[in-house]
Amino acid sequence: MKLIIGLGNPGSEVVECIEGGRNEITDGCDLPDLHLYLGENGEVFYNSSESIGGFQFNIDGGTVSAASGGDAAAAGFMVSTGSDIVLGFSLTGSSFSGCGVLTNVTLSDGVRGLTNLIFSNNLGAEVLFSYYEPTDSADLVADCSDEYPDCAANEFDCSGECGGDAVVDECGE
């Protein structure tokens, strides 16, 4: 199933279809571009159209004891951890992009997400990443055919009110 990020959220500026539901991130390709998400089993999912030459982030609400695997390891990155920080870089100047698992982290209980995201490309220039925050999508239209993405009812009445009940009478008023 596909969803539109921001669907039903008044003032939303993002209109991008993604695979899966908002709370069903199972792969980095489920994310919008330039976003990270911490999976339930310690996977750090990513989606990046930009080249990643290095990264650093903090663990929010817990500690990390190890990081391994993922596309960072496949690209030959060294990935190190501190009590609440993960740092990845390449000594050979390699980089990678795309979507999938950035790395897998071993975490303590109580972790809420990732903060202080610092990413750079293979030339050292900053790449702006955001942490993906799932939201409740229970009353949102669940496909990319949504005609009114800023209206959860997916319809406006004749006075322009989302989900309103005003109607035009026989006199056209």
Side-chain angles (χ1 to χ4, degrees), residues 72-154:
F77 274 45
M78 296 181 66
V79 181
S80 301
T81 63
S83 64
D84 71 341
I85 192 168
V86 177
L87 173 68
F89 59 93
S90 170
L91 292 174
T92 63
S94 69
S95 63
F96 61 95
S97 62
C99 58
V101 175
L102 180 73
T103 190
N104 295 290
V105 291
T106 304
L107 302 167
S108 67
D109 292 332
V111 174
R112 294 181 296 270
L114 309 176
T115 61
N116 303 321
L117 310 178
I118 301 171
F119 279 72
S120 64
N121 65 20
N122 58 330
L123 300 175
E126 183 177 22
V127 177
L128 296 175
F129 266 79
S130 297
Y131 186 72
Y132 180 75
E133 295 284 348
T135 59
D136 182 20
S137 60
D139 51 334
L140 304 179
V141 178
D143 66 31
C144 293
S145 66
D146 188 12
E147 189 173 349
Y148 305 106
D150 291 335
C151 174
N154 203 32

